[in-house]
Amino acid sequence: MSPTGGRPRDPAIGAAVLAATIELLREDGYTGFALEKAAVRAGTTKAAIRRRWPVRQRLVIDALASVLVTPPTPDTHCTRCDLQQSVELLAEALDTRLPQGVLAPLVAECAADPELHRHLLTALVEPSRSAAEVAVRRAVDRGDLRPDTDPGLVVDLFASVVYQRALLGTAPLDRAAARRLTDLLLRGVAVDFDRLVEISRLPAAHRHPQSTTRS
């Protein structure tokens, strides 16, 4: 039974509403999105949508989360490569998977509501952050980054550039920009930056965990 004791919710309807929401966001943008349109396209009613998602911001958050996938933690035994790939994965999620022009107004509307803001962070931000933090911790454990490096802060520094471009609508972060960003940060936190560059230039088959471990 549903939490309210009524008819059990049909998961197919929920999936249809999320899919319809994504389609409409791509077509009409955030300001043009309306629950009525989503209901018609999903073959349900506005009331049924409201029972699942009392406010439209929560619906939009869940719809965006449905097209994001938790990125795998890069693990190539190359700190420079792993961090650059982490940046690229985050940029790809924001620039390719999410409808354009939606994130900024959504963040603005959720900012004043602590519950909505937390839901947005949990659904859309934290999965990518967690994967990137693991990559940073591995780099610290290998001895490539200083032992006092704060993984969360490092990820914040990377993510701030990616999110700024996504929120302000400036040029997306391509591979070359991701490499420049990674190198800029590594020059400040790496134990031996030049050595990390040498490892990144090796074929993947020639990278080994023991080659980056200091005695």
Side-chain angles (χ1 to χ4, degrees), residues 1 13 36 45 50 57 68 105 108 129 155 159 178 181-182 190 193 205 209:
M1 299 292 288
I13 294 179
E36 294 85 352
T45 65
R50 285 290 193 190
Q57 292 89 347
L68 291 177
R129 275 188 54 86
V155 173
L181 174 61
T182 302
F193 174 75

Side-chain angles (χ1 to χ4, degrees), residues 90-107:
L90 178 57
E92 188 270 339
L94 296 181
D95 296 332
T96 303
R97 293 182 177 274
L98 298 188
Q100 295 298 306
V102 171
L103 190 59
L106 177 63
V107 170

Side-chain angles (χ1 to χ4, degrees), residues 52-158:
R52 291 171 168 81
W53 295 280
V55 295
R56 77 168 192 157
Q57 292 89 347
R58 184 171 285 271
L59 169 59
V60 172
I61 291 170
D62 289 351
L64 297 182
S66 73
V67 298
L68 291 177
V69 294
T70 301
T73 300
D75 188 13
T76 65
H77 308 307
C78 166
T79 290
R80 187 181 184 225
C81 306
D82 288 350
L83 297 187
Q84 179 182 328
Q85 187 176 345
S86 294
V87 174
E88 290 175 2
L89 287 170
L90 178 57
E92 188 270 339
L94 296 181
D95 296 332
T96 303
R97 293 182 177 274
L98 298 188
Q100 295 298 306
V102 171
L103 190 59
L106 177 63
V107 170
E109 287 192 1
C110 292
D113 187 319
E115 184 178 351
L116 276 176
H117 183 65
R118 169 45 52 189
H119 184 54
L120 185 149
L121 293 178
T122 300
L124 303 181
V125 177
E126 290 180 358
S128 294
R129 275 188 54 86
S130 297
E133 283 191 31
V134 170
V136 176
R137 290 193 188 95
R138 286 174 177 167
V140 174
D141 292 341
R142 284 196 295 265
D144 287 340
L145 304 185
R146 295 199 298 261
D148 61 348
T149 297
D150 182 337
L153 183 57
V154 171
V155 173
D156 282 342
L157 291 171
F158 281 134

